[in-house]
Amino acid sequence: MALYWCTECMPLAVTALLPVILFPMMGIMKSGDVCVQYLKDSNMLFIGGLLVAIAVENCNLHKRIALRVLLVVGVRPALLMMGFMAVTAFLSMWISNTATTAMMLPIAQAVLEQLCETEAQRDERELLEGQDHGGKDNMAFSMETKQPLQEVTSHKQEVNTVKAQLDDVYETPDVERGEEDSPSDWRRKAREAKYLLLTKGMSLGVCYSASIGGTATLTGTTPNLILKGQLDEIFPDNKDVINFASWFGFAFPNMIIMLVLSWLWLQFMYMGFNMKKSFGCGMTDENDKEAFAVMEGEYRKLGPMTFAEGGVLTIFVLLVVMWFTREPGFMPGWATVLFNQDGQFVTDGTVAIFMATLFFIIPSKCPGLWCFGRTAVDEEGKKLASPPPLLQWQVVHERMPWNIILLLGGGFALASGSEVSGLSLWLGESLAPLKSIPPFAISLLLCLLVGTFTECSSNTATTTLFLPILASMATAIELHPLYVMLPCTVSASLAFMLPVATPPNAIAFSYGNLKVLDMVKAGFMLNLIGILSINFGINTWGDAMFKLNTFPSWANVTHGRNL
């Protein structure tokens, strides 16, 4: 299965179904025991999270949030990149990384095109003003000179003046100037080179922040749920150590650190570190005002917030609040008080499915009783006898990634088969010599291994293959399982170097005029930044949260009990 997942010689979902065929035939597990792995609690949490994401996308609420934040941030270069990366990371915490990237990149492209077009119009205006003034000097450049002997010197001074003015907003890239290039030609080339760099930087910023943002929540990306599912399968007595609140408490600060460092690195690569000019507050010229008008126009096209958007936003906020307060850890949660006194009856999956069900009950149009006699109407103004719900099953059927659900189940079945057959025990004993290596070195080396492997394999397949082995190794050397499983899970989402590594990378590669080398140069450093950030987190606040310096009693299990 590992070979099939890495080479994708068959669809990943079809490969994930192989345990249903092979385990019963080989006498490893009964068919019923294998099939039940495909719809565990973690799968239901994943389905509930996807239903919420589909509802948000269906009513365009994510676009309204994105444009509103960008209008607040402004269009100055560094702030603009920061705004796009922050919005993309926030949205990818709740909806798919691919959908977030596909929505944000066209907006970024439109803003940069408007910035470039407005700057070109300003250059033409200054050129005409220079011609109108005849022999008089213009702030931008002089078009005429009365002394032929000083022509070369004058031309050089004009070019330097143009470059200085371009640098007033951005650090202009070096552009080779031909001997016959006029200041206007050089200015055009410099502008095109500058906006090419800006487009590359913005495209990489959006796709990288989508991957980084997905690590912050338990439902943000598939590897996070694989960790929870396999942890519950291998260590059933772990007392729900990983839930929405505990994951967020560890991963969100780590996400902020990675996002800020990634922004600084991309800022250095594509815009330079002239922070005073890049951070210039407010809209200082027409160029900024017209680009701001583009985003404002897109926001106005959305119109006022609809009843459907308000309903989806309300359910979304309630869901997040219920997730955080179910079992916050530092105090009894509502689930502990009402339902879970004798065991884990209500989980995050229960909450997700309950709230997602409301999308199919609450109408998408304002009912007459709630709107003081006004009845719901369709787009043509006709009265609706029964308004459609916030989410219809046909939309879910078209957008739900059923293949990922099967892939999750296949991973859980593989982990269960490895445990029952004794493979996990054998692997753990084989890795026992690692006990002599300091734990922080083991974590760092494993993160580097997983981060390299995930560049050429899907993050889902990577975590599915590695986590059972890491759990066995941790048990064998009496190391807290989360000390290696948690950082390696996050590292599996750090696929920044290749266009084929993740769908967001592929989308950015097609939008941003990027070369593979551009992504490799930017992504290599971001991989290192991410791995170091994760290991810093696991050895500081992660250690305090999960008590990683002790070997927990729930991890002291006996593998291969059916042998």
Side-chain angles (χ1 to χ4, degrees):
M1 285 181 68
L3 181 63
Y4 280 20
W5 269 331
C6 293
T7 60
E8 296 188 30
C9 58
M10 289 198 308
L12 296 180
V14 177
T15 302
L17 291 172
L18 290 180
V20 179
I21 305 171
L22 298 178
F23 285 1
M25 290 184 173
M26 298 172 70
I28 298 174
M29 295 176 67
K30 296 179 181 179
S31 179
D33 295 334
V34 177
C35 293
V36 78
Q37 303 294 324
Y38 287 80
L39 272 182
K40 295 170 68 69
D41 178 68
S42 297
N43 297 75
M44 301 311 294
L45 175 59
F46 182 64
I47 292 172
L50 285 176
L51 288 173
V52 175
I54 292 171
V56 170
E57 294 177 40
N58 190 48
C59 69
N60 246 4
L61 179 62
H62 59 320
K63 188 173 184 180
R64 182 179 297 276
I65 295 172
L67 289 172
R68 183 70 264 175
V69 173
L70 291 174
L71 287 173
V72 173
V73 170
V75 295
R76 302 301 293 175
L79 292 175
L80 187 64
M81 175 176 278
M82 180 190 294
F84 269 102
M85 291 182 69
V87 171
T88 304
F90 173 76
L91 291 176
S92 66
M93 289 165 58
W94 315 105
I95 65 178
S96 76
N97 303 347
T98 305
T100 304
T101 307
M103 182 200 72
M104 293 300 295
L105 276 176
I107 299 175
Q109 194 84 357
V111 172
L112 290 178
E113 286 176 359
Q114 183 60 43
L115 282 169
C116 186
E117 182 182 343
T118 306
E119 189 170 323
Q121 292 172 355
R122 184 184 64 187
D123 292 346
E124 292 178 3
R125 216 164 34 237
E126 292 177 353
L127 174 62
L128 292 175
E129 289 175 1
Q131 291 175 336
D132 291 339
H133 281 82
K136 295 182 180 180
D137 290 337
N138 183 269
M139 287 185 65
F141 44 80
S142 301
M143 293 302 300
E144 297 180 3
T145 178
K146 295 181 179 179
Q147 299 181 12
L149 295 177
Q150 298 177 351
E151 182 175 355
V152 175
T153 304
S154 175
H155 189 81
K156 183 177 181 181
Q157 291 174 345
E158 291 163 3
V159 170
N160 291 335
T161 303
V162 171
K163 190 177 188 302
Q165 287 190 327
L166 288 172
D167 284 340
D168 188 45
V169 178
Y170 305 100
E171 289 192 6
T172 308
D174 293 332
V175 178
E176 293 184 2
R177 180 174 61 85
E179 295 182 359
E180 298 180 358
D181 282 352
S182 65
S184 59
D185 291 335
W186 185 91
R187 190 163 188 160
R188 175 182 55 79
K189 291 179 180 179
R191 184 178 63 249
E192 290 174 354
K194 176 182 69 179
Y195 279 99
L196 177 62
L197 287 179
L198 282 174
T199 303
K200 288 181 177 182
M202 198 71 72
S203 300
L204 290 174
V206 168
C207 74
Y208 289 162
S209 56
S211 297
I212 292 171
T215 64
T217 59
L218 189 58
T219 57
T221 188
T222 312
N224 306 351
L225 286 168
I226 293 176
L227 170 64
K228 176 171 173 55
Q230 296 207 1
L231 196 69
D232 292 343
E233 173 66 27
I234 300 171
F235 307 108
D237 298 325
N238 67 72
K239 300 178 182 178
D240 201 29
V241 64
I242 291 294
N243 55 40
F244 191 91
S246 64
W247 178 276
F248 188 85
F250 168 77
F252 182 74
N254 180 71
M255 185 270 284
I256 296 295
I257 293 173
M258 286 197 295
L259 195 65
V260 171
L261 294 177
S262 300
W263 169 73
L264 289 173
W265 172 244
L266 292 175
Q267 171 77 16
F268 170 75
M269 282 194 67
Y270 293 104
M271 298 182 188
F273 262 127
N274 195 336
M275 290 296 182
K276 182 178 179 181
K277 296 170 182 177
S278 295
F279 271 110
C281 297
M283 294 174 290
T284 57
D285 55 28
E286 293 298 322
N287 196 33
D288 296 340
K289 291 179 181 178
E290 294 190 27
F292 183 84
V294 172
M295 294 190 293
E296 195 172 31
E298 289 294 318
Y299 185 77
R300 287 177 178 173
K301 287 179 184 178
L302 297 175
M305 180 173 281
T306 63
F307 180 82
E309 287 177 289
V312 170
L313 180 60
T314 301
I315 295 175
F316 171 74
V317 172
L318 287 175
L319 172 62
V320 174
V321 171
M322 292 181 72
W323 267 339
F324 276 115
T325 57
R326 184 183 69 85
E327 285 188 2
F330 58 88
M331 59 177 288
W334 59 266
T336 305
V337 174
L338 298 176
F339 305 104
N340 293 352
Q341 294 180 355
D342 298 324
Q344 289 291 327
F345 289 96
V346 173
T347 65
D348 287 334
T350 310
V351 178
I353 295 299
F354 169 68
M355 299 304 292
T357 304
L358 297 180
F359 290 125
F360 300 93
I361 299 173
I362 299 175
S364 59
K365 302 289 183 180
C366 186
L369 181 62
W370 295 355
C371 296
F372 306 102
R374 290 180 296 169
T375 56
V377 295
D378 60 13
E379 296 178 354
E380 298 178 356
K382 296 179 181 180
K383 182 179 178 180
L384 290 173
S386 177
L390 291 173
L391 188 60
Q392 299 185 65
W393 185 253
Q394 183 61 32
V395 177
V396 175
H397 180 70
E398 293 172 355
R399 300 187 183 182
M400 178 69 76
W402 303 106
N403 58 323
I404 302 298
I405 297 172
L406 290 176
L407 189 57
L408 272 175
F412 298 150
L414 184 62
S416 181
S418 299
E419 181 184 2
V420 171
S421 66
L423 176 62
S424 296
L425 179 62
W426 177 79
L427 288 173
E429 291 174 347
S430 301
L431 296 171
L434 291 175
K435 192 172 184 178
S436 59
I437 301 177
F440 75 89
I442 295 176
S443 175
L444 186 62
L445 290 173
L446 289 173
C447 286
L448 288 170
L449 175 62
V450 171
T452 304
F453 194 83
T454 196
E455 292 289 348
C456 54
S457 177
S458 74
N459 55 8
T460 305
T462 301
T463 47
T464 302
L465 293 174
F466 274 91
L467 288 185
I469 300 173
L470 297 179
S472 301
M473 180 204 72
T475 304
I477 65 176
E478 295 184 352
L479 180 68
H480 198 300
L482 286 180
Y483 192 84
V484 288
M485 296 176 74
L486 190 54
C488 287
T489 299
V490 180
S491 297
S493 296
L494 306 183
F496 298 140
M497 290 179 58
L498 297 175
V500 296
T502 63
N505 289 12
I507 295 173
F509 191 76
S510 63
Y511 265 96
N513 300 316
L514 292 165
K515 298 178 181 177
V516 175
L517 188 59
D518 295 326
M519 193 166 280
V520 170
K521 287 192 295 185
F524 176 75
M525 182 59 67
L526 288 186
N527 278 355
L528 294 180
I529 289 172
I531 290 171
L532 292 176
S533 173
I534 294 164
N535 280 272
F536 172 74
I538 203 69
N539 287 287
T540 51
W541 67 87
D543 190 2
M545 285 181 61
F546 301 111
K547 300 179 180 178
L548 301 178
N549 57 347
T550 60
F551 185 66
S553 58
W554 52 260
N556 191 15
V557 297
T558 302
H559 294 277
R561 54 183 175 270
N562 287 2
L563 285 179

